[in-house]
Amino acid sequence: MAKYTIGVDFGTESGRAVLVDVADGREIASAVYPYAHGVIDEHLPIPSKEIRLEPDWALQDPEDYIRTFQNTIPAVLRQSGIDPKDVIGVGIDFTACTMLPVKADGAPLCTLSQYREHPHAWVKLWKHHAAQPEADIINLTARRMGESWLDRYGGKISSEWFFSKVLQILTEAPEIYAAADRMIEAADWVVWQLTGVETRNSCTAGYKAIWSKREGFPDSSYFSALDPRLANVIDEKMSRRITPIGQRAGNLTSQAAAWTGLPPGIAVAIANVDAHVAVPAATVTEPRRMVMIMGTSICHMVLSKEEHIVPGMCGYVEDGIIPGLFGYEAGQSCVGDHFAWFVENCTPAAYQQEATARGIDIHQLLEEKAARLEPGESGLLALDWWNGNRSVLVDVNLTGLLLGATLATKAEEIYRALIEATAYGTRVIVEAFENNGVPINELVGCGGLPEKNKLLMQIYADVTGREIKVTASNQAPALGSAMFGAVAAGKAAGGYESIYEAAQTMAHLKDVVYTPISEHQQVYNLLYDEYLKLHDYFGRGENDVMKRLKRIKTEQVLKNT
Amino acid sequence: MAKYTIGVDFGTESGRAVLVDVADGREIASAVYPYAHGVIDEHLPIPSKEIRLEPDWALQDPEDYIRTFQNTIPAVLRQSGIDPKDVIGVGIDFTACTMLPVKADGAPLCTLSQYREHPHAWVKLWKHHAAQPEADIINLTARRMGESWLDRYGGKISSEWFFSKVLQILTEAPEIYAAADRMIEAADWVVWQLTGVETRNSCTAGYKAIWSKREGFPDSSYFSALDPRLANVIDEKMSRRITPIGQRAGNLTSQAAAWTGLPPGIAVAIANVDAHVAVPAATVTEPRRMVMIMGTSICHMVLSKEEHIVPGMCGYVEDGIIPGLFGYEAGQSCVGDHFAWFVENCTPAAYQQEATARGIDIHQLLEEKAARLEPGESGLLALDWWNGNRSVLVDVNLTGLLLGATLATKAEEIYRALIEATAYGTRVIVEAFENNGVPINELVGCGGLPEKNKLLMQIYADVTGREIKVTASNQAPALGSAMFGAVAAGKAAGGYESIYEAAQTMAHLKDVVYTPISEHQQVYNLLYDEYLKLHDYFGRGENDVMKRLKRIKTEQVLKNT
C-alpha cells in the first residue's frame, strides 16, 4: 500500500501544500492559499480604524497560516483521491525570521482584542526592515564586548533576525513585550498549532537567533547590556530546548485533524525554513554544490565538513541543514521581487498591449526581447539593492542604482540589466565562499524563477562561470517538508530513517543543464569588475549617499504623517 | 497700416512659423510642420535600400526645411487673413550646430543621386554624437599647440560642433569631403534658399565654428595639424565673410516667394540660432538675467559687458547675442527629451489608463502625482546625463544614473527625480558663471516646458534659489526671429533700427513669477551636495565606468552589424 506525506510551505504571499508519494517523491497533488491579508505594509487590516504603518514595516496575520492548513490540506486530499489514512506525516517550512509575540497558550497577541490595534502585536514578516537601529545596537554591543558568536554570522546580525525584532518590540512597545509570554518563530508556532506542543527548531534558532549546538545562546550579560529588561529573555520568553531538524515534533491533534481531514496522531516534523528544507529536495546532501532557492529573493545554501568564517554571510549552523555537516547560508533580498517591481512600475503600456495581443505574460515578452541582446549591448549596469543587501554587505539601508541610461534605452534593456545585477550579486557570494575555504563547483536552482526564466538561468551560468542544474520539483521547499514528514514518521510507519535516505529516493533533478557560454563570460567578467567597483564605493562607506538619502526620506515622510 | 514680420524657427522635430505684428509683438498666427523624416537615427529614408546608421548618429533631410517654408508660411498667411503685402521681413533661427555639405549652387549632396546612399552626405543634426573621437583630436591638438581660443569655449570643443563634424566627414568619407564645395550651417543654408545669396552669420560662426570678431578663425597651421587636407578648409569650404546678426542677408527671391506666398524682394535677416534669438524675445538685452530656453534640451544665455573665462561653458561670443555685449552660452543636452523618454519607456500601463480615463495628458498626470511629494521624500537622486553632459563637463560619453530606488519606488518619484536632476544641472551652470565673474540675479524661462510644467518651474526656483519669470510668448525663438526680421526690414519699411528698439515693444513677460520656497531650498541644498559629489565622481575621471560601458556597448553593437 502506497504511503504519503504532506509538506506545507509558508511563503511570503501564500501558503502551499503538496501531497507526495513517499516511495519516489512523486507530487500527487498541490494547492495554494493566497493569504487573505498578504503582506501588511500600509495599514493594519482592521475595518474599524485606520492604523498606518511606518516605512519599512512588513507584518502578517497569523490566522492566515491556520487558514492555509484549513484550505490546502483538504484540497490536496480531495484532488488526489487517496485515503487520508495513508498519509503518515506532515512537515512544514516557513519564511524566517518571521516571528510573533504570543500568550502561554499560543494565542497570538494580535488576535486578542486589547492588543489588536497595536502593530507590534502582529507577526513581523522576514522582510520587516524597521529594526535596523536595533540591529545596529546588537552589532555594536557585540563588537564592544568581543562576542565570539559574531563571526559565525559574517560579523553582522541582520535587522531581519529574531533579536533585532524582539529589541524593536521592547524599545517601541514595552507593554507588548511584557504581555508576551513567548516570542516565537512562526515556523514553530504553526507546528505548535498542529501538535499542541511548543517546540523550537535548530534551524531558525541557529540561523536567526544566535544559537549554536556547542555554545547555546549568548550570555545573559550580553542581553543585559542591550537592555536590562532583556537579561533573561531566553528563559522568560523563549526556550533552551532546541530540537534538531529531522526529529518528530509531536502528533497531530484532533483539532488539527478536524481542520485538515488528516487522521489524528500522525507524525508532525520539527519546523524548518523554506530555503534550508529545499536543499535535500534539490538532491544536495554533500559539500561543493550550492543550492539557490530563487523566488522573490534568493537564498544560497552550501554544506561543508569544516567550520569556516566567511565575512558577510548570513550564518553557518552545525546540523542546520543536514545532520553532520555545517550548513552555510547567504542571500540576496530582492530578485523575483525586483522583476515584479519593474513590471508593475516601469513597463510601458505598449509592451503590456503587445503581451496581451499575443496572449503571453509580460515577463515572457520582456524575457524574449531581452534575450535578443548581447551581454554589454545595453551599456547599462545596476546594483541589485532595491531591497538592501543581505550578503556580503548586510545592510538594509543600501538602495538600488541604475547607471548607463541614454535616450535610446529600452525597457527590455533595463530588465536585462536588473537580471544581470542579481547575477553579479550571486557571483559576489560564490566568490566570498570560495575565498574563505568553502569551494563551490556547481549550482542547483530551485523555486519559481528557474521554471519561469531561462534567460535568467543562462545569465547566472555566464556570470558565475558555473554549470547550473535545476530541481525536478518546482516546489522544492514543500517537497523537502514532505521528505522531513517522512523522516518524522520513521521507517516503521512507512517513512525513512534519515534525510539522506529520503533524499536518495524522493529528490530528483531535471535533465536540463545551463552551461556558461565563454564569449558571454568574457564580457561579463569586464562588467563584473565595474559592478564590484560600484559595489564597494557605495557599499563599503566611501560614499554613503544611499544612507543619507534614506535619512532625508524618512524625515520627510515623518513630517507628512 | 499694420506691418508684420514672420519668424521661422527650425527645431529638432519640426519647423514653426509665427506671424507677428511689428507694433507690439502680438502673435497673429502660427503653424507647425513636423518634418517628414524627423530625426534620422536608425537608417536612411531611402525606400530602395536599407542603410543602417551607427550608434550616436542623428541626421536630417534638408528637403524637410524647404517643406517647412512651403507649409507653414502659406498657413499663417491664410489663418491671419492679412494682406501678404503687409509682411515686411522674414527672420529664421535654427538648431546648431546642424550642418551639411553642399555644392557651389547650394544643392545638398544628399539630394544628388550619386551621394544619396552615403550617410555623410546628409544633414548632421546638432545631436549627432558620433564625432567624439574627432572632438578629442581637436581638443588635444589645440592644447598641445597652446591655441588661445580654447579658453573661449570653456577649454573644450564639443563633438556637436562644426569642425568635429567636418573632421568626421573628412576622416570617414574623404570622397564626400572632396565632393562638397561648401560646408555650411543649416541656418545659413535656409537663408541662402530664401535669398539666393550665401551668407554666414556671426552667431553660429562664433559659438560653433571657433570664429571671433577680433581673431577670426584658427590659423591654417592648426587645421593642418588636425589633417593636412584641412589646411585651407575656411577658404575652400567656408567663408571669412561673417555677417553680424541683426543685419539683412538679402531679399526674398521669386522662387521663395512662390513657395511661401510672400511678396518677392522683402527683407530676410541674417540667420540666427534658436536659443540665442530667444534672448531679446525674453526681454533680456542686459547683464545679470539668464535666459533658459527650455525644450528638449536647455540653453542658458547670459550677457556681460566684460570678457570672462568660465570653465566648461559652451562659449562666449562678442556680439553673439546682442550687439555690444559678450553673449555667454551654456547648456544641458537632455531635459524635455528626458521626460519624453521616461513617458515612452518607463510609465506603467495603469498610469496611461488613468490619464486616458481622466482625459488628461500623461505628463500632466505624472506632474500631478509628483507634485504631491515633498523634496527628498522619494529618496531618489539622478544624474541628468541621458544625453551626455554639455556644460560644465562637456562630455557626450557620460550617461544617466538613478540612485536610491527601492521596491516601493513609484513612477512619479522617478519622474520627479529626473526633473530635480535637470534642476541641479542648471544650478551647476549658474554657479560656474557666478564663480567666474558673470553674476546671475534672475532667471527667465521660455520654450515649451515653462508652459507645460509648473512643478518643474517651482523645482528650478527652489533648487537654484532664484526667482524665475516666464516669457509671454510660448514660441520665443520664432518671435525673436520675427523681431530680427523687423530689424532687417529697417525703420523705413515699418520695422526697427536695432534689436534694442524691437525688444522694447515686441517682447513681453508673463505676470507669473516662481519664487523659491525656503523649506524646499533647505532640503534641496542637501540633495545638491550629494548630486555634486556623484557629478564629480563619475564626471571628472575618478570612476570612468560610464565610458567603459559605452565602449563595451559599441563593440557589442558593431559585432552584431
Side-chain angles (χ1 to χ4, degrees):
Chain A
M1 199 64 200
K3 295 294 176 194
Y4 304 93
T5 54
I6 291 176
V8 185
D9 165 46
F10 290 87
T12 300
E13 302 283 353
S14 61
R16 167 193 304 271
V18 177
L19 178 90
V20 173
D21 187 325
V22 170
D24 55 8
R26 206 160 38 96
E27 294 161 22
I28 311 292
S30 78
V32 172
Y33 172 71
Y35 302 144
H37 294 132
V39 177
I40 302 166
D41 55 7
E42 296 194 340
H43 50 78
L44 293 183
I46 305 176
S48 54
K49 205 166 166 186
E50 161 109 353
I51 296 168
R52 296 198 62 79
L53 301 177
E54 287 178 23
D56 292 330
W57 276 61
L59 305 181
Q60 286 193 324
D61 179 357
E63 299 191 89
D64 275 334
Y65 310 146
I66 302 300
R67 286 189 281 263
T68 297
F69 289 132
Q70 291 169 329
N71 282 276
T72 60
I73 295 181
V76 295
L77 291 174
R78 213 165 36 238
Q79 268 176 50
S80 65
I82 64 154
D83 183 344
K85 290 202 178 67
D86 292 325
V87 178
I88 59 170
V90 176
I92 75 100
D93 62 88
F94 222 104
T95 63
C97 164
T98 294
M99 57 81 71
L100 66 163
V102 302
K103 294 308 262 181
D105 64 357
L109 293 195
C110 66
T111 61
L112 306 176
S113 59
Q114 67 267 47
Y115 307 113
R116 194 152 178 76
E117 296 182 359
H118 204 306
H120 276 297
W122 293 68
V123 177
K124 288 191 168 58
L125 184 60
W126 66 273
K127 69 175 174 177
H128 174 88
H129 280 155
Q132 188 61 49
E134 289 74 16
D136 292 344
I137 292 168
I138 285 173
N139 288 313
L140 279 171
T141 308
R143 236 166 288 146
R144 185 168 53 76
M145 296 176 68
E147 296 289 316
S148 62
W149 46 260
L150 199 56
D151 282 342
R152 288 208 310 272
Y153 301 98
K156 260 191 194 174
I157 298 302
S158 162
S159 75
E160 291 181 1
W161 294 355
F162 200 82
F163 291 112
S164 303
K165 285 168 170 158
V166 167
L167 186 55
Q168 193 196 7
I169 297 175
L170 176 64
T171 308
E172 299 179 5
E175 70 282 18
I176 295 292
Y177 183 82
D181 296 321
R182 324 294 294 147
M183 296 280 187
I184 190 164
E185 280 280 345
D188 291 323
W189 183 79
V190 297
V191 168
W192 188 355
Q193 301 314 299
L194 292 182
T195 61
V197 185
E198 182 189 349
T199 56
R200 306 275 178 154
N201 75 84
S202 62
C203 182
T204 56
Y207 285 104
K208 312 295 176 186
I210 323 185
W211 172 87
S212 88
K213 191 174 165 183
R214 301 178 191 206
E215 300 178 19
F217 288 102
D219 287 346
S220 171
S221 63
Y222 171 74
F223 287 114
S224 172
L226 295 180
D227 190 304
R229 293 168 292 177
L230 269 190
N232 300 311
V233 61
I234 306 296
D235 299 310
E236 287 170 12
K237 312 280 183 183
M238 298 170 62
S239 170
R240 296 191 188 274
R241 283 186 48 207
I242 308 296
T243 310
I245 48 158
Q247 300 292 305
R248 181 173 185 142
N251 310 324
L252 198 73
T253 62
S254 48
Q255 185 189 38
W259 291 341
T260 58
L262 290 171
I266 61 168
V268 177
I270 276 290
N272 214 321
V273 176
D274 49 4
H276 304 66
V277 78
V279 174
T283 74
V284 172
T285 53
E286 78 278 30
R288 291 181 183 265
R289 298 173 66 211
M290 175 183 266
V291 176
M292 301 192 292
I293 296 87
M294 308 172 82
T296 54
S297 60
I298 296 185
C299 275
H300 308 77
M301 305 278 153
V302 59
L303 302 167
S304 174
K305 286 184 180 142
E306 304 105 34
E307 189 170 357
H308 295 284
I309 304 296
V310 185
M313 290 304 109
C314 302
Y316 65 88
V317 175
E318 193 177 355
D319 303 350
I321 300 173
I322 298 291
L325 293 170
F326 287 88
Y328 291 78
E329 183 194 347
Q332 289 175 268
S333 31
C334 168
V335 184
D337 263 2
H338 208 163
F339 314 134
W341 170 84
F342 181 76
V343 162
E344 193 181 327
N345 293 286
C346 305
T347 309
Y351 284 50
Q352 293 281 7
Q353 282 154 15
E354 186 181 341
T356 308
R358 292 177 48 198
I360 61 176
D361 182 80
I362 179 73
H363 284 279
Q364 244 179 295
L365 181 75
L366 284 167
E367 185 192 346
E368 186 186 301
K369 287 179 188 283
R372 290 194 204 112
L373 299 165
E374 289 293 319
E377 189 181 335
S378 72
L380 295 172
L381 185 66
L383 289 176
D384 51 320
W385 299 343
W386 262 247
N387 197 16
N389 175 293
R390 197 182 296 160
S391 310
V392 300
L393 300 170
V394 199
D395 194 335
V396 296
N397 285 322
L398 296 176
T399 52
L401 175 139
L402 178 73
L403 181 148
T406 73
L407 293 177
T409 297
K410 301 237 177 306
E412 61 269 29
E413 295 181 307
I414 302 177
Y415 181 75
R416 184 173 176 127
L418 299 185
I419 293 176
E420 290 167 346
T422 64
Y424 304 140
T426 284
R427 180 163 164 182
V428 168
I429 289 167
V430 168
E431 293 191 348
F433 276 123
E434 291 236 315
N435 294 337
N436 291 283
V438 184
I440 293 164
N441 297 349
E442 180 187 279
L443 308 176
V444 182
C446 65
L449 279 180
E451 208 61 28
K452 283 186 217 147
N453 199 322
K454 290 181 178 27
L455 171 66
L456 177 140
M457 297 306 287
Q458 185 60 51
I459 289 174
Y460 274 54
D462 293 341
V463 166
T464 60
R466 280 166 177 79
E467 280 193 352
I468 310 185
K469 295 177 178 161
V470 178
T471 52
S473 171
N474 55 17
Q475 34 213 7
L479 170 62
S481 287
M483 288 164 64
F484 277 106
V487 176
K491 199 149 206 158
Y496 294 101
E497 282 305 327
S498 72
I499 192 66
Y500 291 95
E501 207 181 282
Q504 269 169 10
T505 56
M506 294 179 77
H508 308 280
L509 293 177
K510 278 201 172 62
D511 285 336
V512 60
V513 178
Y514 295 92
T515 307
I517 298 166
S518 81
E519 266 198 353
H520 292 184
Q521 272 184 274
Q522 284 170 28
V523 180
Y524 279 133
N525 283 340
L526 297 176
L527 297 176
Y528 180 66
D529 286 346
E530 302 296 346
Y531 174 90
L532 271 189
K533 203 164 176 177
L534 294 173
H535 175 279
D536 288 353
Y537 178 72
F538 289 110
R540 298 200 192 270
E542 216 177 323
N543 185 348
D544 276 338
V545 52
M546 291 167 179
K547 295 174 193 189
R548 289 189 296 267
L549 291 175
K550 252 203 160 170
R551 208 143 52 219
I552 293 170
K553 170 183 180 164
T554 306
E555 280 162 19
Q556 293 296 74
V557 171
L558 289 179
K559 220 176 68 180
N560 285 352
T561 52
Chain B
M1 198 64 200
K3 296 294 176 194
Y4 305 93
T5 54
I6 291 176
V8 185
D9 165 45
F10 290 87
T12 299
E13 302 283 352
S14 61
R16 165 192 304 270
V18 176
L19 179 91
V20 172
D21 188 324
V22 171
D24 55 8
R26 205 161 36 95
E27 294 161 23
I28 311 293
S30 77
V32 173
Y33 172 70
Y35 302 145
H37 294 131
V39 177
I40 302 166
D41 55 7
E42 295 196 338
H43 50 79
L44 294 183
I46 305 176
S48 54
K49 206 166 162 184
E50 162 107 352
I51 296 168
R52 296 198 63 79
L53 302 177
E54 287 177 22
D56 292 331
W57 277 61
L59 306 180
Q60 285 193 325
D61 179 357
E63 299 192 89
D64 274 335
Y65 309 147
I66 302 300
R67 286 189 282 263
T68 297
F69 287 133
Q70 292 168 329
N71 282 276
T72 60
I73 295 182
V76 295
L77 291 174
R78 216 168 32 241
Q79 270 177 49
S80 65
I82 65 153
D83 184 343
K85 290 203 181 62
D86 293 325
V87 178
I88 60 170
V90 177
I92 75 99
D93 63 88
F94 222 104
T95 63
C97 163
T98 294
M99 57 81 72
L100 66 162
V102 303
K103 296 306 265 182
D105 64 356
L109 293 195
C110 67
T111 61
L112 306 176
S113 60
Q114 68 267 45
Y115 306 114
R116 194 151 179 78
E117 296 182 358
H118 203 306
H120 276 297
W122 293 68
V123 176
K124 286 192 167 58
L125 184 61
W126 66 272
K127 69 175 173 176
H128 174 87
H129 280 155
Q132 188 61 48
E134 288 74 16
D136 293 343
I137 292 169
I138 285 172
N139 288 313
L140 279 172
T141 308
R143 237 165 288 147
R144 185 170 52 79
M145 295 176 69
E147 295 290 317
S148 62
W149 47 259
L150 200 56
D151 282 344
R152 288 206 311 272
Y153 300 99
K156 260 193 196 172
I157 299 301
S158 162
S159 75
E160 291 182 1
W161 294 356
F162 202 81
F163 291 113
S164 302
K165 284 167 170 158
V166 167
L167 187 55
Q168 193 197 6
I169 297 175
L170 176 63
T171 309
E172 298 180 4
E175 69 283 15
I176 295 291
Y177 183 82
D181 296 321
R182 322 295 294 150
M183 295 280 189
I184 192 165
E185 280 280 347
D188 292 324
W189 183 79
V190 297
V191 167
W192 189 354
Q193 302 312 299
L194 291 181
T195 61
V197 186
E198 182 190 350
T199 56
R200 305 275 178 153
N201 76 84
S202 62
C203 184
T204 56
Y207 284 104
K208 311 294 176 187
I210 323 186
W211 172 87
S212 89
K213 191 175 166 183
R214 300 178 191 205
E215 299 178 20
F217 288 104
D219 289 345
S220 170
S221 63
Y222 170 74
F223 286 115
S224 172
L226 294 180
D227 189 306
R229 293 168 294 178
L230 268 191
N232 299 311
V233 61
I234 307 297
D235 297 311
E236 286 171 11
K237 312 280 184 184
M238 299 170 64
S239 170
R240 293 191 190 276
R241 284 185 47 207
I242 307 297
T243 310
I245 49 158
Q247 300 292 304
R248 180 174 186 143
N251 309 323
L252 199 72
T253 63
S254 49
Q255 186 191 35
W259 291 342
T260 58
L262 291 171
I266 62 167
V268 178
I270 276 290
N272 214 320
V273 176
D274 49 7
H276 304 65
V277 78
V279 174
T283 75
V284 172
T285 53
E286 78 279 29
R288 290 179 183 268
R289 298 173 66 210
M290 176 183 267
V291 177
M292 300 191 293
I293 298 88
M294 309 172 82
T296 54
S297 59
I298 296 185
C299 276
H300 308 76
M301 305 276 153
V302 60
L303 302 166
S304 174
K305 286 185 180 145
E306 305 105 33
E307 190 171 357
H308 294 284
I309 304 295
V310 185
M313 290 304 110
C314 303
Y316 65 88
V317 175
E318 192 176 355
D319 302 350
I321 299 174
I322 298 291
L325 293 169
F326 287 87
Y328 292 78
E329 183 195 348
Q332 289 175 269
S333 31
C334 169
V335 183
D337 263 1
H338 208 161
F339 314 134
W341 170 84
F342 181 77
V343 162
E344 194 182 326
N345 292 286
C346 307
T347 310
Y351 285 50
Q352 292 283 6
Q353 283 154 14
E354 185 180 343
T356 308
R358 291 177 48 197
I360 60 175
D361 182 81
I362 178 74
H363 283 279
Q364 243 178 295
L365 180 75
L366 283 168
E367 185 192 343
E368 187 186 300
K369 287 178 187 285
R372 289 194 206 113
L373 299 165
E374 290 294 318
E377 189 181 334
S378 72
L380 295 174
L381 185 65
L383 290 176
D384 51 320
W385 300 343
W386 263 246
N387 197 16
N389 176 291
R390 197 183 294 161
S391 309
V392 300
L393 300 170
V394 199
D395 194 334
V396 296
N397 285 322
L398 296 175
T399 53
L401 176 140
L402 179 73
L403 181 148
T406 73
L407 293 177
T409 297
K410 299 237 179 304
E412 61 269 29
E413 295 181 306
I414 301 178
Y415 181 75
R416 183 171 176 127
L418 298 186
I419 293 176
E420 290 167 346
T422 65
Y424 304 140
T426 284
R427 179 163 165 184
V428 169
I429 289 168
V430 167
E431 294 190 348
F433 276 122
E434 291 235 315
N435 294 338
N436 291 281
V438 184
I440 292 165
N441 297 351
E442 180 186 280
L443 307 176
V444 182
C446 65
L449 279 179
E451 207 61 28
K452 284 185 217 150
N453 200 322
K454 292 183 177 25
L455 171 66
L456 177 140
M457 298 305 287
Q458 185 58 52
I459 289 173
Y460 274 54
D462 294 340
V463 167
T464 61
R466 280 165 177 79
E467 279 194 353
I468 310 185
K469 294 177 178 159
V470 178
T471 53
S473 171
N474 55 18
Q475 36 214 6
L479 171 61
S481 286
M483 288 163 64
F484 277 108
V487 176
K491 198 147 208 159
Y496 294 102
E497 282 305 327
S498 72
I499 191 67
Y500 291 95
E501 208 181 283
Q504 270 169 10
T505 57
M506 294 178 77
H508 307 281
L509 293 177
K510 282 201 168 66
D511 286 335
V512 60
V513 178
Y514 294 92
T515 306
I517 298 165
S518 80
E519 265 198 355
H520 291 184
Q521 272 183 276
Q522 284 168 27
V523 180
Y524 280 132
N525 283 339
L526 297 176
L527 297 176
Y528 179 66
D529 286 345
E530 302 295 346
Y531 174 90
L532 271 189
K533 202 164 176 177
L534 294 174
H535 175 279
D536 289 352
Y537 178 72
F538 289 110
R540 298 199 193 272
E542 216 177 322
N543 185 348
D544 277 337
V545 53
M546 291 167 179
K547 296 174 194 190
R548 289 189 295 269
L549 290 176
K550 252 204 162 172
R551 209 144 49 220
I552 294 171
K553 170 183 182 166
T554 306
E555 279 162 21
Q556 293 296 72
V557 170
L558 290 178
K559 221 176 67 182
N560 285 354
T561 51

